[in-house]
Amino acid sequence: MASKRETVLAALKALVAAALPGAEVKRNLAKAERIPPGGLVVIRDGDPGEPEISLSPLTYLYSHRIPIEIAAYESATMTREMVLDAMTGAIGAAVKANPTLGGLCDWIEAEAPVTDDIEALGALPGRFADLAILATYATSDPLN
């Protein structure tokens, strides 16, 4: 049986993949070799932080910050800024439509993205965004 943390991360990856059907969605990708035409999304495990603890019954309440990196090029009809905005907007809409991640979390919410250019010698200019999803969930065992 997977831990609560791992279950939440897998569900978040599935949510993002469903929101961005043309993008490649990976977990903990070390370094991207290329950005696919539909964009690339990397979900990092992040840091669950120190939990709040309730003693009766023993419950650990985490506010887990899960970083998400998005990279995209321009398309035939949209600038790279527009493509990135559409991708972050789709993730935001998916989070808003499912704020408990199917009942796994008490609440999830997105943080605003920080964007910048991607520069690589000989490659098309791209754009990337760093954002995070804050997932609040409880578990009776911090390791499971």
Side-chain angles (χ1 to χ4, degrees), residues 6-25:
E6 191 63 30
T7 305
V8 167
L9 289 166
L12 182 60
K13 181 182 177 197
L15 180 86
V16 171
L20 301 171
E24 283 187 30
V25 180

Side-chain angles (χ1 to χ4, degrees), residues 64 66 95-96 98-99 107-112 131-136:
H64 188 161
I66 305 166
V95 166
K96 188 175 181 180
N98 189 359
W107 189 256
I108 63 171
E109 62 184 23
E111 293 180 358
L131 62 104
I133 302 293
L134 187 63
T136 303

Side-chain angles (χ1 to χ4, degrees), residues 40-116:
L40 176 67
V41 179
V42 180
I43 299 173
R44 305 274 177 207
D45 286 354
D47 181 12
E50 289 295 317
E52 291 185 31
I53 300 172
S54 174
L55 297 175
S56 183
L58 182 60
T59 305
Y60 299 89
L61 180 64
Y62 288 96
S63 291
H64 188 161
R65 188 175 185 278
I66 305 166
I68 299 178
E69 302 161 7
I70 305 169
Y73 292 123
E74 63 186 45
S75 71
T77 59
M78 296 192 304
T79 66
R80 57 194 178 139
E81 292 83 7
M82 292 169 63
V83 171
L84 200 60
D85 188 58
M87 292 175 78
T88 57
I91 292 172
V95 166
K96 188 175 181 180
N98 189 359
T100 64
L101 207 53
L104 289 173
C105 297
D106 294 331
W107 189 256
I108 63 171
E109 62 184 23
E111 293 180 358
V114 175
T115 61
D116 204 354

